[in-house]
Amino acid sequence: MDKSNTIIDIGNISKVYEMGGEPVYAIRDISLEIKKNEYLAIMGPSGSGKSTLMNILGCLDTPTTGRYFFKGNDINDMTDNDLAEIRNREIGFVFQTFNLLPRSSALKNVELPLIYSGMKKSERDEIARNTLIDVGLADRISHKPNELSGGQRQRVAVARALVTSPSIILADEPTGNLDSKTGVEIMHLFYELWKKGNTIILVTHEEEIALHANRIIRLRDGLVERDEINHHQRIE
Amino acid sequence: MIIAEFNESIKLAYDSIKSNKLRSFLAALGVVIGISFVILMGWVLQGLDKTMEDSINLMGQDMIYLDKWDWAGGHTNKKVDQRKDISYSQAKELSKRMTQSVMAFPQAWKWNNQIKYKNEKFSGLIVQGTTYENGLIPEGTVTDGRFFTQMDDQFGSKVVVLGSKAKETIFPNEDAIGKTIDVNGHKLLVIGVVKKQGTMMMDFVDTKVYIPLSAFLQIYNDQRRRSFTVVMKAGDQTNLDNVREEAKGLMREIRNLKPGEDEDFSLNETKNFQAFVDNLRIYVWGVGIGMTILSFIVGIIGIMNIMFVSVAERTKEIGIRKAIGAKNRSILMQFIVESAFLCFVGAMMAYIICSIFIFALATILPKFVPQTSFLSPVMPYEFLIIASVVSIFVGILAGFIPALRAAKLDPVDALRYE
Ligand SMILES: Nc1ncnc2c1ncn2[C@@H]1O[C@H](COP(=O)(O)OP(=O)(O)OP(=O)(O)O)[C@@H](O)[C@H]1O
Ligand SMILES: [Mg+2]
């Protein structure tokens, strides 16, 4: 099998928490392969392990057991430092609650990953600006988060996820805090990013939203219930 | 690339202080006080050093004062108290027999004596009975008139040379030369005024009035208890050892000390004076260091506490930063820089406050307490460097544990924190 296009390759991943002496499986025995330019939706009811899986895929968290290769590199061998570097260069997170730094402007927020990657000021300023323009915020560059609408905040967050040109974008319920009209706008943005060749993993419990992806994984009680191609992908 | 993160940390630290002005100030108060102690202590010690240098220059580094008293004081006080006085004949004999010194002459003092001019009485002046040779050493340099001569000595002339402070006290607005003052019922003619030389510790030299020793003995002939001093000038510092040894040997002989018996006199030199200043120095340090350490401990606790609060408040922010690629050491640096910056700002405040305080004190205080005129109104710039370095060090120390806690936060837990 050709693995050159594989970004994420996990096998028999479990995450176990100890609760009052009893082991609780947040996710159990999950195996997945995610290739370049896939648009994957992870679905499932509350508590089914979506966020846990996503945190592991995003190298924010490590599995209790199982193997994880990111672009052919074994994550289990990596130090905290290596993982931070992977998160910085290879992964872009978008969260339900935006998670912007409240006291920093949109530009500063978007620049931040570039600061941690050690880019020069002039360079990162330009890239951050362009990325903000790309997500449609040309006229909001120096606004602080509390001067922006929810949809605009999420656009800033998307710009921040995109600014290092990561291999993969992970979005955990990105429309969860938005009204449906704004949610649609954000989904449109993701669709365009996917069209441009980005790889996207989207966590949601809404069927409507999941239908934007071309592959849908359904979790139940930490297990993969179904993993299928979406033949009814919604084209915006 | 670390520089970018460092700059970012400085900006963050600045923002953080700006948005929590009062809280930051209170947290840094201990450091402000600690740094102030360091600065003020250094300032006083520097003043002391300056005074001491002046005093040594004033006395001359080649002088030895053989005296019943030990100038450095302290250790042998009790024994010194029990020493027999050095009599006039002993002092005179030693002065005559000295061969190694350039000059050697006896001296005696009458402390806190009353002096009258017209109908006014002046107390707090010292009458020094001395010889014409006193006019040849730095302490006896006159600005006005002349010092007395060998003739005056021989005939016990009723003349007097005033120290500058003594002159100002008795003759604030008039010329002193040619006037007659009354010392213990004897009329003395003022023939000279000595150059002002007082610094803090040597201030008393300016309150002296010098009279020929022969006259002194007549004026105070009723006083039975008096110890004389022999002033010796070695001429050169390298000759000090010879003079000291000779004086010691001769005086032992004159005082009939048995071999092996302790000396019942002291040979005082500028070195001893240094010992006195060193004692003072230790005292200043002792008090200063104690208070400094105490305020730094309070300061460190204050800063550490505020940094723990800051870390807790920004748990979510730490999670976000980690999610987008901040390494543990980036987070560690961010909080250490913030802590160091906070302390540094505190130190700068201390520096400014102390500068103002020192300027005010050194300008105003000597008007009321002349002994403090050695204080300098200008804060040496080295203190700025010392204050900066010390404060940054304290900041790093105080910030380290909270910063480590921040750096070790689990990103998932931190992100979930509300
Ligand atoms: N730190 C933890 N300690 C103990 N149990 C945990 C921890 N984190 C997650 N879990 C458990 O793991 C399971 C999966 O949680 P997860 O957050 O992944 O669910 P989710 O699918 O994202 O749910 P939601 O749709 O509500 O966000 C839950 O049962 C949860 O209680
Ligand atoms: Mg979730």
Side-chain angles (χ1 to χ4, degrees):
Chain A
M1 199 165 81
D2 176 26
K3 294 250 177 189
S4 65
N5 264 340
T6 304
I7 295 174
I8 286 173
D9 178 13
I10 58 173
N12 307 102
I13 289 268
S14 297
K15 181 79 185 179
V16 188
Y17 293 104
E18 197 86 21
M19 295 294 275
E22 293 286 302
V24 176
Y25 282 84
I27 54 171
R28 187 169 210 152
D29 251 351
I30 292 185
S31 300
L32 272 182
E33 199 187 326
I34 299 163
K35 287 187 188 303
K36 199 166 176 346
N37 201 215
E38 272 197 277
Y39 191 168
L40 176 77
I42 300 174
M43 288 207 66
S46 187
S48 59
K50 304 182 294 293
S51 294
T52 306
L53 177 59
M54 195 171 102
N55 288 337
I56 290 173
L57 294 178
C59 298
L60 267 179
D61 207 352
T62 48
T64 315
T65 57
R67 59 181 174 78
Y68 180 3
F69 288 91
F70 189 95
K71 286 183 148 180
N73 302 307
D74 192 345
I75 292 295
N76 288 332
D77 290 347
M78 293 189 179
T79 61
D80 277 1
N81 248 351
D82 299 332
L83 293 177
E85 228 157 89
I86 293 223
R87 289 196 297 270
N88 185 241
R89 291 172 205 278
E90 304 284 355
I91 292 159
F93 284 100
V94 179
F95 301 94
Q96 178 175 355
T97 52
F98 320 131
N99 284 351
L100 300 173
L101 298 185
R103 286 201 297 264
S104 305
S105 67
L107 184 67
K108 273 262 140 215
N109 266 289
V110 176
E111 255 187 76
L112 204 54
L114 301 178
I115 289 178
Y116 289 123
S117 72
M119 190 180 281
K120 277 209 307 264
K121 169 109 183 97
S122 53
E123 237 177 301
R124 63 174 193 252
D125 191 81
E126 190 185 329
I127 296 178
R129 259 171 217 284
N130 289 339
T131 313
L132 277 166
I133 293 167
D134 288 348
V135 298
L137 289 177
D139 52 351
R140 293 288 183 278
I141 283 172
S142 45
H143 287 229
K144 298 250 170 82
N146 62 1
E147 298 158 357
L148 296 170
S149 72
Q152 287 167 335
R153 285 183 213 184
Q154 197 59 303
R155 281 170 193 272
V156 174
V158 171
R160 184 180 62 189
L162 282 174
V163 77
T164 55
S165 314
S167 303
I168 193 159
I169 293 164
L170 301 180
D172 193 348
E173 311 249 14
T175 59
N177 271 20
L178 302 173
D179 60 52
S180 55
K181 182 171 163 288
T182 318
V184 168
E185 283 168 21
I186 291 294
M187 290 321 294
H188 182 68
L189 182 59
F190 277 110
Y191 180 78
E192 284 183 336
L193 293 174
W194 173 64
K195 276 269 140 184
K196 284 186 195 158
N198 284 292
T199 312
I200 298 171
I201 303 179
L202 181 76
V203 168
T204 180
H205 56 259
E206 287 176 64
E207 201 72 36
E208 282 286 291
I209 299 291
L211 284 176
H212 289 82
N214 61 7
R215 176 182 171 192
I216 300 176
I217 292 176
R218 288 169 206 278
L219 296 185
R220 183 170 295 277
D221 299 334
L223 290 162
V224 176
E225 197 183 39
R226 263 193 289 169
D227 180 354
E228 58 195 6
I229 303 295
N230 175 20
H231 297 291
H232 314 285
Q233 188 177 17
R234 280 180 65 164
I235 314 292
E236 299 284 334
Chain B
M1 58 177 238
I2 297 204
I3 294 172
E5 279 180 39
F6 185 74
N7 285 342
E8 164 83 2
S9 298
I10 295 266
K11 264 182 236 149
L12 277 170
Y14 174 74
D15 286 346
S16 167
I17 290 173
K18 212 173 66 177
S19 54
N20 287 304
K21 281 193 204 77
L22 185 62
R23 192 176 87 178
S24 304
F25 172 74
L26 292 175
L29 204 57
V31 173
V32 172
I33 293 170
I35 294 285
S36 298
F37 273 128
V38 172
I39 290 174
L40 293 177
M41 208 166 67
W43 178 61
V44 170
L45 288 178
Q46 213 173 44
L48 273 181
D49 283 347
K50 173 88 171 53
T51 307
M52 157 138 144
E53 206 184 294
D54 290 353
S55 305
I56 286 176
N57 288 343
L58 159 63
M59 290 193 349
Q61 300 195 26
D62 61 338
M63 301 302 292
I64 296 182
Y65 291 76
L66 190 146
D67 201 328
K68 172 186 167 186
W69 306 102
D70 193 298
W71 291 1
H75 48 290
T76 51
N77 253 347
K78 186 133 189 271
K79 258 176 116 184
V80 168
D81 247 1
Q82 292 160 355
R83 285 174 175 176
K84 275 190 295 180
D85 290 337
I86 295 172
S87 70
Y88 177 53
S89 59
Q90 287 173 340
K92 210 164 58 176
E93 185 182 345
L94 178 66
S95 304
K96 278 222 185 77
R97 287 175 64 184
M98 285 299 295
T99 56
Q100 294 291 335
S101 57
V102 175
M103 58 174 93
F105 55 95
Q107 253 182 14
W109 289 290
K110 174 73 180 142
W111 295 83
N112 206 13
N113 190 66
Q114 226 180 56
I115 289 176
K116 277 187 279 186
Y117 173 62
K118 291 183 178 159
N119 289 323
E120 248 188 295
K121 286 180 186 164
F122 305 94
S123 54
L125 302 175
I126 302 161
V127 178
Q128 176 164 319
T130 187
T131 69
Y132 76 98
E133 283 138 311
N134 203 149
L136 307 175
I137 60 172
E139 195 205 314
T141 316
V142 289
T143 46
D144 234 349
R146 61 174 179 90
F147 210 83
F148 38 85
T149 61
Q150 203 165 359
M151 297 279 278
D152 294 320
D153 277 351
Q154 267 168 23
F155 297 111
S157 306
K158 295 288 187 333
V159 292
V160 59
V161 176
L162 302 177
S164 66
K165 180 80 182 295
K167 188 259 165 194
E168 264 160 46
T169 310
I170 307 170
F171 303 102
N173 302 314
E174 50 184 318
D175 203 19
I177 313 281
K179 304 275 163 43
T180 303
I181 60 171
D182 182 304
V183 179
N184 206 29
H186 294 255
K187 300 256 175 281
L188 298 179
L189 179 71
V190 179
I191 58 167
V193 177
V194 168
K195 191 172 116 211
K196 175 169 170 52
Q197 31 198 213
T199 50
M200 179 192 64
M201 270 166 299
M202 293 294 282
D203 186 58
F204 67 90
V205 295
D206 291 329
T207 65
K208 279 184 186 174
V209 305
Y210 303 83
I211 61 177
L213 189 55
S214 40
F216 183 92
L217 293 170
Q218 286 176 38
I219 294 171
Y220 297 110
N221 61 353
D222 52 326
Q223 309 270 328
R224 37 187 174 77
R225 228 180 102 81
R226 164 157 301 112
S227 189
F228 288 77
T229 301
V230 179
V231 182
M232 288 166 279
K233 186 175 167 65
D236 190 325
Q237 279 189 70
T238 54
N239 197 32
L240 276 172
D241 286 343
N242 297 332
V243 173
R244 195 184 308 117
E245 284 316 305
E246 188 186 25
K248 200 186 278 181
L250 287 172
M251 202 58 181
R252 286 186 72 96
E253 198 188 310
I254 292 166
R255 303 267 274 181
N256 289 321
L257 296 183
K258 292 184 201 72
E261 208 178 331
D262 283 347
E263 269 115 38
D264 58 353
F265 53 88
S266 291
L267 289 145
N268 299 300
E269 296 168 43
T270 44
K271 217 172 57 207
N272 300 60
F273 194 67
Q274 174 115 40
F276 171 73
V277 172
D278 285 347
N279 280 344
L280 213 63
R281 202 170 234 293
I282 288 167
Y283 184 73
V284 172
W285 269 104
V287 173
I289 284 281
M291 291 168 98
T292 307
I293 289 177
L294 199 73
S295 46
F296 273 130
I297 290 173
V298 173
I300 286 176
I301 292 172
I303 298 283
M304 203 184 276
N305 189 46
I306 212 72
M307 289 312 295
F308 273 127
V309 171
S310 180
V311 169
E313 274 179 357
R314 283 149 67 187
T315 302
K316 180 114 185 176
E317 177 194 316
I318 294 163
I320 296 168
R321 287 177 184 273
K322 287 194 160 192
I324 62 172
K327 292 177 181 144
N328 290 357
R329 66 161 158 75
S330 311
I331 303 292
L332 186 77
M333 183 170 82
Q334 179 186 329
F335 283 95
I336 286 180
V337 166
E338 180 169 328
S339 170
F341 188 78
L342 185 59
C343 289
F344 179 74
V345 171
M348 291 307 101
M349 277 170 61
Y351 187 80
I352 293 166
I353 292 168
C354 286
S355 293
I356 294 168
F357 177 75
I358 282 171
F359 181 78
L361 201 68
T363 320
I364 297 164
L365 198 60
K367 293 203 174 108
F368 301 97
V369 190
Q371 285 91 330
T372 56
S373 62
F374 74 97
L375 294 171
S376 150
V378 202
M379 171 106 79
Y381 72 94
E382 303 101 81
F383 290 176
L384 191 65
I385 297 166
I386 294 171
S388 309
V389 171
V390 169
S391 66
I392 288 171
F393 177 73
V394 165
I396 291 172
L397 210 65
F400 188 75
I401 298 171
L404 202 62
R405 176 186 282 188
K408 286 195 167 156
L409 278 176
D410 179 68
V412 176
D413 290 343
L415 274 171
R416 201 179 286 139
Y417 186 88
E418 284 309 326

